[in-house]
Amino acid sequence: MKLARTKLGSMKLSKGAITTAALGISSGLNFLSLIVWTHLLSPAEFGTYALVSATVLFLNAAIFEWLRLTASRLLYDPSAEHQLNPEIANALSTVCLGLILLLLPVALSLRAFQIHFLGVAPDWWPAMWLWLFSEMLFAISTVTARLRLLSWRFFAMMTLRSSLSLAVGAVLVWFFDMGALGVALGILGAQIGCAVLGNVTDAAWRGLRPFRARRADLQEIMRYGAPLIVSSGLGYGSAVADRYIVSSTLGQAAVGQYSVSVDLMQKTVIFLMLAVNLSAYPAIVRAFEKDGREAGEKILAENFIVYLMIGAPAAAILAALSPGVARLFVGPSFRDTVAMLLPYVAIAAILKALTTFHLSVALQLVKKTKLLIISPAVNLALLVPSGIVGVKLAGLTGMAIGIAISQIGSFALFYLVVSRHVRTPLLTRSSLFVVVLSLVLGAALVPLRGFSEPVACLGLLGAAGLVYCLVIWRGRDWIMRNSQSWNPA
């Protein structure tokens, strides 16, 4: 029995290590992409790419993200042949294909009648439809791989997607001077290729029978997923509304300048937090389903501390050393703006990630999905006026301050709502320790922000990270023991 438990633990560690490696490599390649694009594209070209990609991801969130979340919660069936409920899978594929086919004539009409929509030029819409199709396919493929703990399949899809999109995009931009279109074609081509290859080689998906869904399964999907349609759309809408505000007031070149700061956080700190979410979510679902609510809430609380241990110090260090970080990672045309905006963007990004990866997940687990609309609705209601006023008063800095204010307000209100339905302690001895340690570390680095030469900045980043990791390593047992509740003793 002891040997069996040891083997099981080793197997789980191995699968977790593979997933972590996939996300680490993918994150590194995505971060490298940001560096490459800020050196190859002008601010106006990067602004076009940022606005187009934001629009695609917004449409994906509004139309397809609810299906990904529904698949994460309803597809897993340990008794099924491939650990996926075949009836639910058929129903999901029917809905996905139906929606993407309905969108095709819309995209072609926008192109044919030269209609500008969401600030995007008409000629972009056919390519954006393909991009949207690739996002949907790739997301469903990776979700099902994670649910079934097919770590090597997940590894192959994530790393191949990132490497191909960078390689193809760089060739199209560098040798064919295709600008933002080259970047977009590289991404959608890589996603379609990886998703099709993944599905063709997966026995579970080869057995799909689209458009043969049972009415009862479609109703179950809609009952769980319908509230997510509005919340997902609003959630991503609130995340990209700042780009549309900047575009309408300051132009696309300003969108390019502004978006680099947001993308820098997204492709570094937030992606690391996403890696924890992708690895932890299946375990939390299994705990709720197999071991009961108390066990699930325990893992939920522990994961919050892990999110905080990754996000808080990284955001504090990057914000404190923003001039050096900008000089180290982005092209000359973007450095001054990144150095100026990064501290404000860091605050908003961390709170947004904690809302998405922790508070929203808590409501999904107890199937209170109707309440998910609260956070993005409040955030959007705060962001639009604060962002517009901020841009008018202080340009891009005012926009960054506006998103920080709106995210603080929506996070606080949403936590009050979530805590009524799920035990999700945020103020614990562990969380307070991590936040204070991160702030102290950031404050200690602020006087050194003038050392912006690449070698000096790398040295400071490495030293700060080493000090933090040593402190956390020494106190790791105490931190996890105190992750459940506040105990002043």
Side-chain angles (χ1 to χ4, degrees), residues 292-346:
R293 180 166 178 151
E294 184 176 350
E297 289 178 343
K298 181 177 183 295
I299 297 179
L300 199 63
E302 291 174 350
N303 283 338
F304 171 73
I305 297 300
V306 176
Y307 291 136
L308 208 58
M309 286 193 296
I310 292 173
I317 292 170
L318 292 179
L321 299 177
S322 59
V325 170
R327 186 168 182 177
L328 186 62
F329 294 123
V330 303
S333 301
F334 301 89
R335 289 172 184 167
D336 291 343
T337 305
V338 170
M340 177 176 61
L341 301 184
L342 204 57
Y344 308 108
V345 172

Side-chain angles (χ1 to χ4, degrees), residues 278-290:
L278 292 176
S279 301
Y281 188 83
I284 301 174
V285 171
R286 289 165 182 256
F288 264 82
E289 293 298 324
K290 291 184 176 180

Side-chain angles (χ1 to χ4, degrees), residues 133-142 153 156-158 160-161 164 187-202 205:
F133 183 38
S134 73
E135 285 284 340
M136 179 267 292
L137 279 180
F138 190 82
I140 294 294
S141 301
T142 52
R153 178 177 293 275
M157 294 186 70
M158 292 295 292
L160 190 60
R161 189 268 300 264
L164 282 178
I187 294 172
L188 71 90
Q191 290 188 156
I192 289 178
C194 291
V196 170
L197 180 63
N199 290 340
V200 167
T201 58
D202 190 338
W205 290 110

Side-chain angles (χ1 to χ4, degrees), residues 74-97:
L74 300 183
L75 258 183
Y76 177 67
D77 183 354
S79 63
E81 181 181 1
H82 301 290
Q83 295 185 296
L84 297 178
N85 185 308
E87 286 78 18
I88 295 293
N90 283 338
L92 281 168
S93 64
T94 298
V95 176
C96 287
L97 289 175

Side-chain angles (χ1 to χ4, degrees), residues 187-256:
I187 294 172
L188 71 90
Q191 290 188 156
I192 289 178
C194 291
V196 170
L197 180 63
N199 290 340
V200 167
T201 58
D202 190 338
W205 290 110
R206 289 201 303 270
L208 276 181
R209 297 296 181 266
F211 303 108
R212 292 187 182 179
R214 300 184 310 181
R215 183 172 184 176
D217 298 316
L218 290 171
Q219 289 175 340
E220 183 179 2
I221 288 172
M222 292 306 299
R223 274 196 303 269
Y224 181 84
L228 297 173
I229 298 174
V230 178
S231 64
S232 297
L234 279 176
Y236 202 83
S238 66
V240 299
D242 48 358
R243 272 81 153 186
Y244 294 116
I245 293 173
V246 172
S247 175
S248 63
T249 54
L250 302 177
Q252 289 199 354
V255 176

